[in-house]
Amino acid sequence: GQNIDQPTEMTATEGAIVQINCTYQTSGFNGLFWYQQHAGEAPTFLSYNVLDGLEEKGRFSSFLSRSKGYSYLLLKELQMKDSASYLCANQAGTALIFGKGTTLSVSS
Amino acid sequence: ETGVTQTPRHLVMGMTNKKSLKCEQHLGHNAMYWYKQSAKKPLELMFVYSLEERVENNSVPSRFSPECPNSSHLFLHLHTLQPEDSALYLCASSRNLGQTNTEAFFGQGTRLTVV
């Protein structure tokens, strides 16, 4: 079976750092993806991890521990435009399987 | 121009209507997907196509009927839907199916309301 858990909502202030956690239990694993989705828009790709460790991409970083079934997305120097849903997804088999998403609200 | 285009963006239909959702990708990808996104629920995979062949039907009711005439186009035919089918329907494509680092590109979605 597939089970992906992430917090429903988070809040933070501009300029801060926020970490969004994701735990997964799946029957297969080909990589862990993070997507960003603004309200009314398509999900857009943020990051991908298939090996353990940290991948850094500008203000965004993603970490994976396969033995723990755990990933996090780290957002630094938060901006108002970072207010969105962040979707954790596991590629297991033929397609991406998504968590419910974490709605991040950034305030000034 | 987005790589994956969906039409219409919004659709309101009665329970006895028949309608179709259209998806077109301009990325040269071989795999296409339909997902359903309801409030407070994760994106639910509905159908998977690879090189125009359906490879997965994720226990979707028969009132949803997909069609993939070629690798660039994907349709979702709708008939006798229920109000609980109201949701955002997202189309996605990827270069290939199920390989590592196969990023999926999403369309803007069709917001469907069944009345």
Side-chain angles (χ1 to χ4, degrees):
Chain A
Q2 314 279 1
N3 189 36
I4 299 176
D5 286 319
Q6 49 182 132
T8 305
E9 294 179 339
M10 297 184 73
T11 59
T13 53
E14 271 188 302
I17 299 173
V18 71
Q19 178 174 312
I20 303 175
N21 296 323
C22 171
T23 57
Y24 63 90
Q25 297 166 323
T26 56
S27 56
F29 183 79
N30 276 335
L32 197 292
F33 290 78
W34 284 94
Y35 279 78
Q36 180 191 60
Q37 186 178 23
H38 284 100
E41 297 185 13
T44 55
F45 170 77
L46 285 179
S47 70
Y48 169 77
N49 296 70
V50 68
L51 300 176
D52 289 355
L54 189 68
E55 292 281 342
E56 297 190 71
K57 256 188 180 183
R59 293 191 299 116
F60 293 1
S61 303
S62 57
F63 171 84
L64 176 68
S65 169
R66 288 172 297 171
S67 61
K68 295 180 179 177
Y70 167 69
S71 174
Y72 68 72
L73 180 70
L74 193 70
L75 295 80
K76 302 176 188 174
E77 301 168 18
L78 281 174
Q79 302 174 10
M80 298 292 286
K81 67 178 183 179
D82 296 329
S83 294
S85 284
Y86 292 86
L87 311 176
C88 173
N90 174 32
Q91 184 173 11
T94 55
L96 292 176
I97 305 300
F98 286 84
K100 290 185 180 181
T102 299
T103 300
L104 174 66
S105 300
V106 181
S107 58
S108 55
Chain B
E1 179 188 336
T2 179
V4 181
T5 306
Q6 289 186 243
T7 54
R9 292 292 307 276
H10 300 272
L11 177 63
V12 179
M13 61 185 288
M15 289 189 282
T16 58
N17 291 160
K18 289 184 181 181
K19 297 286 184 183
S20 294
L21 309 185
K22 180 182 175 182
C23 176
E24 184 174 0
Q25 57 98 359
H26 313 277
L27 301 167
H29 288 168
N30 292 322
M32 295 187 77
Y33 313 82
W34 279 116
Y35 283 88
K36 175 184 177 183
Q37 188 173 36
S38 305
K40 310 296 183 187
K41 286 187 172 182
L43 274 162
E44 299 171 52
L45 180 66
M46 299 176 72
F47 299 104
V48 181
Y49 276 83
S50 176
L51 296 170
E52 302 141 48
E53 288 201 22
R54 191 191 310 181
V55 297
E56 188 161 332
N57 174 348
N58 217 25
S59 303
V60 180
S62 59
R63 57 186 184 270
F64 295 92
S65 174
E67 179 191 0
C68 188
N70 55 62
S71 58
S72 298
H73 293 87
L74 186 64
F75 295 89
L76 188 63
H77 304 300
L78 316 170
H79 63 98
T80 60
L81 294 192
Q82 304 297 312
E84 59 264 30
D85 296 322
S86 299
L88 181 69
Y89 288 85
L90 288 161
C91 173
S93 71
S94 63
R95 190 179 304 116
N96 289 301
L97 192 67
Q99 296 177 355
T100 57
N101 200 10
T102 304
E103 173 191 345
F105 292 79
F106 284 85
Q108 299 277 56
T110 296
R111 173 68 62 185
L112 174 67
T113 304
V114 182
V115 297

